[in-house]
Amino acid sequence: MIAKRYRLSEREVKRVLVRGKPFFSWIFAATILANREDRLQTGIILSGKHVATAIDRNFFRRRFYDALRPLCDSLRADLVVRAKKGIKLSRRDSRSVETFDRDLHALVSSIPRL
């Protein structure tokens, strides 16, 4: 898990979604917006339609934050990631976890530099 200073508040997430530049991967839609901070601030949106239980949502949220930890000090932007419509994730399904990790790695490697 990353420190709170690297996470976006709900208000900041809405701002990024309205003003940011979108880019996509297989199961994620991401939005990025340049910021004045000297670090990456990020957030993830996983609804009950994508992940059935709160335990599973927290599991994937923690994996997301752990995957973005190396980028926190090297990128100056706000990043919001959300799962695309129709995606179902479960922590008990190993295929689902592998797909999440693989696609998250692809998304991180394709982040546009601002």
Side-chain angles (χ1 to χ4, degrees):
M1 201 66 157
I2 60 174
K4 283 211 177 205
R5 66 184 179 146
Y6 296 114
R7 293 186 252 165
L8 293 171
S9 68
E10 185 177 346
R11 181 178 175 191
E12 293 168 333
V13 167
K14 290 178 184 178
R15 179 182 53 84
V16 171
L17 290 174
V18 170
R19 297 182 184 171
K21 177 184 173 188
F23 63 102
F24 305 94
S25 68
W26 185 254
I27 65 171
F28 294 118
T31 308
I32 193 164
L33 182 66
N35 68 10
R36 295 181 186 169
E37 302 291 326
D38 60 342
R39 62 186 179 266
L40 173 72
Q41 292 181 305
T42 186
I44 184 168
I45 301 172
L46 294 172
S47 73
K49 292 180 181 179
H50 299 111
V51 185
T53 65
I55 294 170
D56 289 348
R57 277 193 296 278
N58 289 334
F59 173 80
F60 286 109
R61 188 174 292 121
R62 286 185 182 109
R63 289 184 83 84
F64 170 76
Y65 286 132
D66 288 341
L68 289 180
R69 183 178 292 148
L71 293 177
C72 286
D73 292 324
S74 64
L75 191 63
R76 296 180 60 188
D78 293 337
L79 176 70
V80 175
V81 176
R82 58 190 187 277
K84 287 184 178 178
K85 187 176 180 179
I87 301 299
K88 299 285 185 188
L89 299 170
S90 173
R91 69 182 164 90
R92 293 190 174 132
D93 182 15
S94 62
R95 233 185 220 163
S96 178
V97 174
E98 288 174 16
T99 302
F100 180 86
D101 290 338
R102 186 174 358 104
D103 202 58
L104 186 58
H105 179 70
L107 184 78
V108 166
S109 64
S110 69
I111 291 177
R113 302 294 175 195
L114 301 175

